[in-house]
Amino acid sequence: WSYVNNLQRARKMGDTKPASSLARYMEQHPVLLLDEDASQLQEVVERAMVQALRKAGESNDYRLILRLVSASIAFANDHPILKPRIFGEALDGLCQTQANVAKLKSVWNLMTTTTSTAAT
């Protein structure tokens, strides 16, 4: 929950460092085992990612958005903890930036491959 609180404060102050920190943490610490209480982890990941993606979009930082999406996929490690809302927020954030269509397509492709992998 501390990431969520830090990201909320950072959005008010205009700082992207907590979002970068979240991406780094998610890249380095993938989920290895998932217990019965996966819904709590899913909620925390969703809340933190939404805040981070919105901040990156407000800061016109499409690279950070792409990094956050890649990091969340690496963090999930084929466990079904990523909600479609995360990818929707990523696409919305990219629309706020100067990202071209190829970047939007890359997030879309990541979303479709991730959700199809999690469904199997």
Side-chain angles (χ1 to χ4, degrees):
W1 288 106
S2 63
Y3 270 113
V4 175
N5 293 332
N6 289 341
L7 288 163
Q8 287 173 337
R9 274 195 306 266
R11 274 190 74 199
K12 293 176 185 172
M13 297 179 355
D15 186 13
T16 60
K17 287 181 185 176
S20 296
S21 175
L22 175 64
R24 189 175 326 106
Y25 177 83
M26 294 178 98
E27 290 165 346
Q28 295 174 353
H29 300 92
V31 174
L32 299 177
L33 295 173
L34 208 55
D35 60 5
E36 305 85 40
D37 198 19
S39 62
Q40 185 177 13
L41 176 63
Q42 190 177 40
E43 180 185 348
V44 172
V45 168
E46 179 185 14
R47 289 188 63 193
M49 285 296 295
V50 165
Q51 293 294 321
L53 289 166
R54 286 181 180 174
K55 179 59 203 153
E58 291 165 359
S59 299
N60 198 22
D61 192 347
Y62 70 87
R63 288 184 187 98
L64 181 55
I65 293 171
L66 296 175
R67 183 173 175 212
L68 284 163
V69 170
S70 298
S72 68
I73 292 169
F75 179 75
N77 197 19
D78 289 333
H79 294 290
I81 59 171
L82 297 179
K83 291 187 177 180
R85 179 179 180 193
I86 292 171
F87 295 102
E89 291 288 342
L91 291 172
D92 187 51
L94 283 173
C95 290
Q96 295 175 13
T97 69
Q98 301 298 319
N100 59 24
V101 175
K103 304 231 180 347
L104 291 167
K105 267 182 128 172
S106 70
V107 170
W108 181 262
N109 290 334
L110 286 171
M111 178 188 70
T112 56
T113 57
T114 301
T115 53
S116 66
T117 302
T120 58

